[in-house]
Amino acid sequence: MTGLYDRLGRHIHYLRVAVTDRCNFRCQYCMPPEGVEWLEHTDILRYEELVRLIKAFAGLGVDKVRITGGEPLVRKGLLPFLRQVTRIPGIKEVGLTTNGSLLEEYALSLKQAGVGRINVSLDTLQRERFIRMTGQDRLDRVLAGIKKAHQAALTPVKINMVVMKGVNSDEIADMAAFALQNDYQVRFIEYMPFSTGQDYLFTAAEMKQQLVAAGFTKLVPQLGVSCPAKIYHVPESRGSIGFITPVSQHFCSSCNRIRLTPDGYLKPCLLSNEEYSLRERLRSGASDQQLLAQIKQVVWNKPQQQYFLKGQKGDRGMSRIGG
């Protein structure tokens, strides 16, 4: 059996790489309420260190990479780095997750660098609500960036909406209509509390009920796709609707991914406190074989399930993990 597998037989071939913890938004479910203390510059992995690690993962069979943050587009030198990543042998797909505020400027350059797909985090279509949720008056810029990404063929453009009960849970039908009218894919994501105690959970079942009540009665399941999102198509539209259910219907048994934090920790599970420093290994002169051995060991011991199922909370907020 070739490739990277854990002890439960899950095939791990998807690496999410956070290149920075910095962001120009202050989304309440991502940033800690008491304020942000950015990582020191020296703690962030350098681009050459990231390239070395991604090459190691590719050598073990990882073929899909997604670049995240923070907001990855705020880090200087990102485009040359992306060009290096897209040329690594074995890497078949490179995507990027962004808040969209800088996407109008960078969309075409991202496409030219070899990025295949864009995910945009957008939790509301209402300007005043957007300002409250992000701390910035940039909704128009985000919408322009999404349009530009579509024009640049970074398709399908995926819009990630974290649905929070009593905050934006009344906008599900509006966001679905927006996506379908513009041939985007909207993915409604259940709120994950991480280290906060606030319960904003609005389940996918409740989301579907709201969509049906709004007239979205012809949702056709997309078959044969292996990803956390359950995707539905609507007749007469090239857009689609998806649901990601980490809380109500977890997908631990089919998880195929692993994460690298901006400060160089390998997290085998987003919703687990287990993490292992690759930065220390890199900077202490570890050989490629030693790095490969540690990666394989971490993957082999990937947790069977996430900590929400055990009633636990996370030690890191989302901004320190990567989207």
Side-chain angles (χ1 to χ4, degrees):
M1 184 168 58
T2 60
L4 196 57
Y5 290 83
D6 68 7
R7 57 191 169 85
L8 301 175
R10 292 175 292 191
H11 182 201
I12 311 303
H13 62 95
Y14 181 8
L15 175 66
R16 299 179 70 97
V17 178
V19 297
T20 182
D21 65 324
R22 286 166 170 74
C23 187
N24 51 355
F25 283 7
R26 296 293 180 271
C27 298
Q28 61 195 88
Y29 58 80
C30 184
M31 297 292 183
E34 65 274 11
V36 182
E37 290 186 12
W38 303 121
L39 292 167
E40 295 293 333
H41 181 70
T42 53
D43 291 335
I44 302 290
L45 287 183
R46 300 186 295 271
Y47 282 134
E48 57 267 29
E49 293 173 324
L50 288 170
V51 169
R52 184 184 175 193
L53 287 176
I54 296 171
K55 285 181 178 178
F57 276 98
L60 292 171
V62 166
D63 58 10
K64 182 177 180 180
V65 174
R66 176 161 294 277
I67 305 302
T68 71
E71 170 49 51
L73 294 177
V74 303
R75 180 165 177 179
K76 295 180 179 179
L78 184 69
L79 291 172
F81 164 70
L82 289 173
R83 284 192 286 270
Q84 290 186 70
V85 174
T86 57
R87 294 169 183 166
I88 292 175
I91 299 299
K92 298 177 181 178
E93 180 180 331
V94 176
L96 182 137
T97 296
T98 173
N99 63 31
S101 61
L102 302 172
L103 192 51
E104 186 177 19
E105 175 185 352
Y106 282 99
L108 184 57
S109 296
L110 290 170
K111 182 68 176 181
Q112 292 171 341
V115 174
R117 293 185 180 180
I118 292 289
N119 286 23
V120 181
S121 300
L122 177 62
D123 300 321
T124 178
L125 294 170
Q126 299 178 19
R127 181 187 173 210
E128 293 303 319
R129 182 176 287 176
F130 184 93
I131 295 171
R132 290 198 302 273
M133 295 183 73
T134 68
Q136 301 291 328
D137 186 5
R138 298 188 183 183
L139 177 58
D140 288 345
R141 292 187 63 180
V142 172
L143 295 178
I146 292 171
K147 184 176 181 180
K148 191 71 173 182
H150 186 75
Q151 293 171 345
L154 290 164
T155 53
V157 176
K158 297 180 180 180
I159 298 172
N160 292 341
M161 178 182 179
V162 176
V163 181
M164 304 172 69
K165 180 174 62 179
V167 177
N168 63 347
S169 53
D170 58 340
E171 285 192 70
I172 293 171
D174 291 340
M175 190 67 79
F178 170 70
L180 295 176
Q181 290 166 6
N182 292 283
D183 299 335
Y184 307 145
Q185 180 183 111
V186 61
R187 308 192 313 169
F188 298 114
I189 305 173
E190 290 179 343
Y191 172 78
M192 296 173 284
F194 287 97
S195 56
T196 66
Q198 192 71 34
D199 182 13
Y200 291 114
L201 178 62
F202 196 76
T203 67
E206 293 173 294
M207 300 177 204
K208 291 176 183 177
Q209 290 176 357
Q210 192 176 118
L211 286 173
V212 170
F216 294 88
T217 57
K218 297 180 180 179
L219 298 180
V220 181
Q222 179 176 328
L223 304 177
V225 177
S226 177
C227 69
K230 296 179 180 178
I231 306 299
Y232 297 83
H233 292 281
V234 176
E236 302 179 359
S237 173
R238 289 185 292 177
S240 56
I241 296 172
F243 302 90
I244 299 180
T245 57
V247 181
S248 68
Q249 295 177 316
H250 71 87
F251 33 83
C252 299
S253 63
S254 60
C255 183
N256 63 358
R257 62 196 60 194
I258 194 165
R259 283 174 164 79
L260 184 64
T261 68
D263 50 346
Y265 284 83
L266 194 57
K267 285 188 68 70
C269 173
L270 169 64
L271 303 177
S272 168
N273 290 322
E274 294 182 22
E275 56 183 41
Y276 306 86
S277 179
L278 294 182
R279 185 188 69 204
E280 291 181 8
R281 285 293 192 115
L282 283 168
R283 296 181 182 178
S284 62
S287 67
D288 289 346
Q289 289 304 314
Q290 289 172 323
L291 287 175
L292 292 172
Q294 183 174 12
I295 290 170
K296 287 190 285 188
Q297 182 180 24
V298 171
V299 170
W300 181 256
N301 291 301
K302 181 177 170 69
Q304 180 176 353
Q305 62 185 27
Q306 39 101 329
Y307 57 58
F308 287 162
L309 304 180
K310 303 175 184 178
Q312 300 172 0
K313 299 293 184 182
D315 292 337
R316 282 186 187 243
M318 193 65 179
S319 64
R320 285 287 179 93
I321 299 174

PDB file of all heavy atoms in Angstrom, residues 12 166 218 280 282:
ATOM      1  N   ILE A  12      -4.183   9.830   3.914  1.00  0.00           N
ATOM      2  CA  ILE A  12      -3.942  11.252   4.143  1.00  0.00           C
ATOM      3  C   ILE A  12      -3.170  11.815   2.951  1.00  0.00           C
ATOM      4  O   ILE A  12      -1.989  11.530   2.775  1.00  0.00           O
ATOM      5  CB  ILE A  12      -3.143  11.477   5.448  1.00  0.00           C
ATOM      6  CG1 ILE A  12      -3.769  10.690   6.601  1.00  0.00           C
ATOM      7  CG2 ILE A  12      -3.045  12.962   5.757  1.00  0.00           C
ATOM      8  CD1 ILE A  12      -5.221  11.008   6.881  1.00  0.00           C
ATOM      9  N   GLY A 166     -28.630  33.120  15.636  1.00  0.00           N
ATOM     10  CA  GLY A 166     -28.934  34.429  16.183  1.00  0.00           C
ATOM     11  C   GLY A 166     -28.025  35.537  15.709  1.00  0.00           C
ATOM     12  O   GLY A 166     -28.198  36.699  16.088  1.00  0.00           O
ATOM     13  N   LYS A 218     -35.709  21.648  -4.507  1.00  0.00           N
ATOM     14  CA  LYS A 218     -35.144  20.702  -5.467  1.00  0.00           C
ATOM     15  C   LYS A 218     -33.619  20.660  -5.333  1.00  0.00           C
ATOM     16  O   LYS A 218     -32.889  21.162  -6.180  1.00  0.00           O
ATOM     17  CB  LYS A 218     -35.537  21.079  -6.894  1.00  0.00           C
ATOM     18  CG  LYS A 218     -37.041  21.021  -7.142  1.00  0.00           C
ATOM     19  CD  LYS A 218     -37.378  21.400  -8.576  1.00  0.00           C
ATOM     20  CE  LYS A 218     -38.883  21.327  -8.813  1.00  0.00           C
ATOM     21  NZ  LYS A 218     -39.224  21.723 -10.212  1.00  0.00           N
ATOM     22  N   GLU A 280      11.163  23.102  15.074  1.00  0.00           N
ATOM     23  CA  GLU A 280      12.346  22.781  15.872  1.00  0.00           C
ATOM     24  C   GLU A 280      13.241  21.785  15.142  1.00  0.00           C
ATOM     25  O   GLU A 280      14.469  21.912  15.160  1.00  0.00           O
ATOM     26  CB  GLU A 280      11.913  22.219  17.225  1.00  0.00           C
ATOM     27  CG  GLU A 280      11.245  23.243  18.135  1.00  0.00           C
ATOM     28  CD  GLU A 280      10.852  22.653  19.470  1.00  0.00           C
ATOM     29  OE1 GLU A 280      11.240  21.493  19.733  1.00  0.00           O
ATOM     30  OE2 GLU A 280      10.168  23.341  20.252  1.00  0.00           O
ATOM     31  N   LEU A 282      13.392  21.346  11.848  1.00  0.00           N
ATOM     32  CA  LEU A 282      13.982  22.034  10.700  1.00  0.00           C
ATOM     33  C   LEU A 282      15.200  22.853  11.115  1.00  0.00           C
ATOM     34  O   LEU A 282      16.245  22.822  10.461  1.00  0.00           O
ATOM     35  CB  LEU A 282      12.948  22.955  10.050  1.00  0.00           C
ATOM     36  CG  LEU A 282      11.870  22.320   9.168  1.00  0.00           C
ATOM     37  CD1 LEU A 282      10.779  23.338   8.869  1.00  0.00           C
ATOM     38  CD2 LEU A 282      12.467  21.802   7.873  1.00  0.00           C
TER      39      LEU A 282
END
